[in-house]
Amino acid sequence: MKGSSSMNTHMGNIVIDNEVIAQYAGSVAIECFGIVGMAGVSVKDGLVRLLKMDSITRGINVSLNNNKLTLDFHVIVSYGVSILAVSDNLISNVKYKVEEFTGIEIEKINIFVEGVRVID
């Protein structure tokens, strides 16, 4: 996920590395009800695993089109929750907080549920 998102201000340009956006979006997402964490899918064997905090950005893809962000989240959800309710909550939280953080409008948030975990 190399790349950056930029905006012009009257003083000059602001460039935000996509990794920074992903890190922030990920920290917001994992605080959401029903989200166990971000998922990493191994290309080699197709196995899904829960990413640790320091590598959550591998479960998130950030792209910028026409000065608008698209975020893809690969998540693991808690067993027994409503995926629709969890997704709605994640989308509204992330949209609000990331737009406030970056000043860049979010056009789309895609959620890929890669797994389910029972939480003790």
Side-chain angles (χ1 to χ4, degrees), residues 3-35:
S4 58
S5 303
S6 64
M7 60 191 125
N8 301 319
T9 71
H10 64 290
M11 297 293 281
N13 290 340
I14 298 171
V15 179
I16 307 169
D17 193 291
N18 285 351
E19 186 79 12
V20 171
I21 296 172
Q23 187 75 51
Y24 185 78
S27 65
V28 171
I30 59 175
E31 286 174 7
C32 291
F33 169 78
I35 298 291

Side-chain angles (χ1 to χ4, degrees), residues 39-50 114:
V41 183
S42 166
V43 177
K44 195 175 63 181
D45 50 21
L47 288 176
V48 172
R49 66 187 188 293
L50 186 62
E114 304 287 2

Side-chain angles (χ1 to χ4, degrees), residues 45-103:
D45 50 21
L47 288 176
V48 172
R49 66 187 188 293
L50 186 62
L51 294 170
K52 292 188 170 44
M53 243 335 256
D54 55 9
S55 57
I56 57 170
T57 58
R58 296 217 316 271
I60 303 163
N61 194 50
V62 177
S63 55
L64 187 75
N65 268 332
N66 304 325
N67 294 324
K68 291 182 184 169
L69 288 170
T70 296
L71 304 179
D72 295 340
F73 288 90
H74 295 267
V75 300
I76 294 174
V77 299
S78 304
Y79 179 78
V81 298
S82 158
I83 288 175
L84 191 60
V86 167
S87 299
D88 277 352
N89 184 31
L90 185 147
I91 288 168
S92 59
N93 272 343
V94 166
K95 183 171 168 40
Y96 174 74
K97 290 187 173 166
V98 171
E99 284 182 347
E100 190 180 48
F101 177 64
T102 61

